[in-house]
Amino acid sequence: MSNTIQGIRGMHDALPENASGWQRLEQVLQGILNRYGYRQIRLPIVERTEVFERSLGASTDIVSKEMYTFTDRNGDSLTLRPEGTAGCVRALIEHGLLQGATQRLWYAGPMFRHEKPQKGRLRQFHQFGAEAFGLTGPDIDAELIAMCARLWTELGIADLRLELNTLGTAAARKHYRDALVAYFSDHRKSLDPESRERLERNPMRILDSKDPGMKKLIDAAPSMDGFLDAGSAAHFAELSRLLEAIGIDYQINPRLVRGLDYYNGTVFEWVSDRLGAQGAVCAGGRYDGLVECFGGDAIPAVGFAMGVERVLELYASSASRPGTDSPHAYLVVAGASAQAHALHLAEKLRDQLPSLNLLTHCGGGSFKSQFKKADKSGAAIALVVGEEELRNGTVGLKPLRGDAEQSSVPASQLAAELKRRLGL
Ligand code: HAM
């Protein structure tokens, strides 16, 4: 045992027993994003470190303490991506895809943050993200939110709460930040150690503190409302109206500030109360200044990303979870001479019934042990090919769930019979 090699803390294997959940979730997500006219972009997992330093903000938790950064053999500083937005912007500018065009895109894949692992918080996790470029109005904000809502409905996840806020323009945000620094500095002695550190680095994140002892102080802190510019206020009011028109409930949370520096205007989070401390399932907002910050034109943008593991956790416990991925049928082969015939039969069935999930027995063994394996596989039906069947040109068909007897079906009619019995 001491000789075995363990995986890395906070980086999990997705085991076969969970494969059907992952696959179904990915299918539903891809289906919805494609149907809304979003196209996939596949991005590298590693970027130059400056991609993240320049966009997420040097004082954010991610950049200051959570990035997997290393020097490669050329001496370049590279970083495993902690999120997808920055790399997406880098790629669009590099390939000239933002010139005079709007873009609606999605991406998926692993992200890496060296956070303290706990339930729902991993060091390698997966995101599905969507980003829209070149659109200024609240209509696109509403579309992105509606897309998430549709996903929750299709997955049968009923109890997510949408929290919404606006951070205003960069200038409004700066004034607000200054007001927070003044307020929390006056109460420095009452701050918990983490908030005291944030006061220097990233004062708006103090509003995110989960320390119950901080609640009273945070409740009495200045609110963004008083600093909001007229344009952002109007955008936010229109977004609220659009969400009401399409029947999406939301709660305005003036303390929602997000942990990345690139946001302005609309920000939102879908939150679950069923996931403990790590309740944010999906989050996003506007980042109108980011393209320019990467050397591109002033192109507005908005998007979101969801944590796939967190969505899966909710999906696994939701009532509408689909069945397992057990095979429909298990092919039992009795006798060496039947082997070639059985394999041929299996290939022919796969041609005739493309949706058939057929597990063929390999590795020999007695009839009894093969039936045991067939039963354990969860298959609905065992197909039997032995000497007798070979002689008669038939296949044995034995329902494995219930008491029905084995029957004999002419090989030429097997596909039609399986189609009928399995509803394929
Ligand atoms: P984020 O809030 O940092 O935003 O991450 C989005 C989601 O990823 C979270 O709501 C959560 O579900 C999941 N997540 C984050 N960290 C972890 C972790 N350590 N373990 C498990 N899940 C995690 C962004 O990444 C932005 N790029 C979203 C965005 C796209 N904004 C605009 N466009």
Side-chain angles (χ1 to χ4, degrees), residues 83 85 113 115 120 122 127 131 258 262-263 280-281 303-304 307:
E83 58 100 60
T85 311
R113 298 184 192 175
E115 296 189 77
L122 305 169
Q127 283 188 345
E131 316 284 359
R258 308 280 298 122
Y262 52 58
Y263 290 111
V281 172
F304 67 74

Side-chain angles (χ1 to χ4, degrees), residues 20 36 58 73 145 156 236 238 281 283 307:
S20 63
Y36 275 77
R73 290 171 193 273
I145 289 172
F236 195 59
E238 182 59 12
V281 172

Side-chain angles (χ1 to χ4, degrees), residues 29-41 88 102-107 128-133 135 137-148 268 286-287 301-304:
L29 277 162
Q30 292 180 13
I32 290 179
L33 290 157
N34 288 337
R35 287 194 324 258
Y36 275 77
Y38 286 66
R39 294 179 307 154
Q40 186 179 17
I41 182 164
C88 184
T102 58
Q103 292 286 355
R104 285 174 160 101
L105 302 168
W106 66 267
Y107 54 82
F128 248 90
E131 316 284 359
F133 295 87
L135 297 160
D139 46 358
I140 186 70
D141 304 11
E143 174 180 283
L144 285 159
I145 289 172
M147 223 158 51
C148 298
F268 60 91
R286 283 213 152 257
Y287 49 98
V302 55
F304 67 74

Side-chain angles (χ1 to χ4, degrees), residues 44-58 60 62-72 75-83 86-87 90 290 293-294:
I45 287 170
V46 187
E47 294 275 354
R48 290 179 196 286
T49 302
E50 62 190 291
V51 166
F52 306 112
E53 281 176 351
R54 207 193 286 187
S55 57
L56 311 187
T60 57
I62 295 181
V63 173
S64 65
K65 49 187 185 193
E66 293 170 1
M67 294 208 302
Y68 281 90
T69 296
F70 60 97
T71 308
D72 83 347
D76 297 326
S77 176
L78 305 182
T79 293
L80 296 185
R81 63 182 183 192
E83 58 100 60
R90 192 268 312 140
L290 190 59
C293 153
F294 271 98

Side-chain angles (χ1 to χ4, degrees), residues 146-355:
M147 223 158 51
C148 298
R150 184 167 299 278
L151 173 81
W152 314 138
T153 308
E154 284 205 18
L155 292 174
I157 299 174
D159 47 359
L160 288 185
R161 186 171 70 248
L162 172 62
E163 297 194 355
L164 210 58
N165 192 21
T166 177
L167 301 175
T169 58
R173 207 171 147 187
K174 173 158 187 333
H175 288 142
Y176 180 46
R177 186 181 189 278
D178 292 346
L180 284 180
V181 170
Y183 169 80
F184 285 120
S185 298
D186 285 348
H187 297 87
R188 181 177 262 282
K189 283 207 184 93
S190 321
L191 297 179
D192 64 356
E194 192 181 25
S195 299
R196 219 169 289 153
E197 190 207 328
R198 284 186 164 156
L199 183 57
E200 315 300 331
R201 284 194 300 119
N202 202 350
M204 286 174 76
R205 287 303 300 274
I206 298 177
L207 301 177
D208 263 357
S209 169
K210 304 280 181 292
D211 184 337
M214 290 285 298
K215 188 173 179 321
K216 233 168 125 186
L217 195 61
I218 289 174
D219 284 347
S223 167
M224 182 73 208
D225 300 356
F227 299 83
L228 205 57
D229 55 289
S232 300
H235 183 110
F236 195 59
E238 182 59 12
L239 172 60
S240 311
R241 201 184 64 79
L242 291 175
L243 292 178
E244 278 153 32
I246 52 178
I248 294 178
D249 292 338
Y250 60 88
Q251 287 173 10
I252 294 177
N253 176 1
R255 302 297 184 222
L256 180 67
V257 291
R258 308 280 298 122
L260 307 160
D261 275 3
Y262 52 58
Y263 290 111
N264 67 282
T266 310
V267 286
F268 60 91
E269 274 186 13
W270 291 90
V271 187
S272 168
D273 292 327
R274 281 195 279 146
L275 295 177
Q278 306 304 319
V281 172
C282 173
R286 283 213 152 257
Y287 49 98
D288 293 334
L290 190 59
V291 177
E292 218 177 351
C293 153
F294 271 98
D297 298 334
I299 288 171
V302 55
F304 67 74
M306 63 187 66
V308 179
E309 285 83 356
R310 293 184 193 176
V311 177
L312 263 177
E313 175 85 22
L314 295 175
Y315 180 45
S317 54
S318 74
S320 66
R321 188 182 162 184
T324 63
D325 51 355
S326 306
H328 295 118
Y330 191 104
L331 182 60
V332 169
V333 191
S337 56
Q339 191 74 55
H341 180 68
L343 279 180
H344 183 242
L345 176 81
E347 289 310 310
K348 218 163 113 197
L349 277 177
R350 291 185 174 111
D351 287 340
Q352 292 169 318
L353 301 172
S355 60

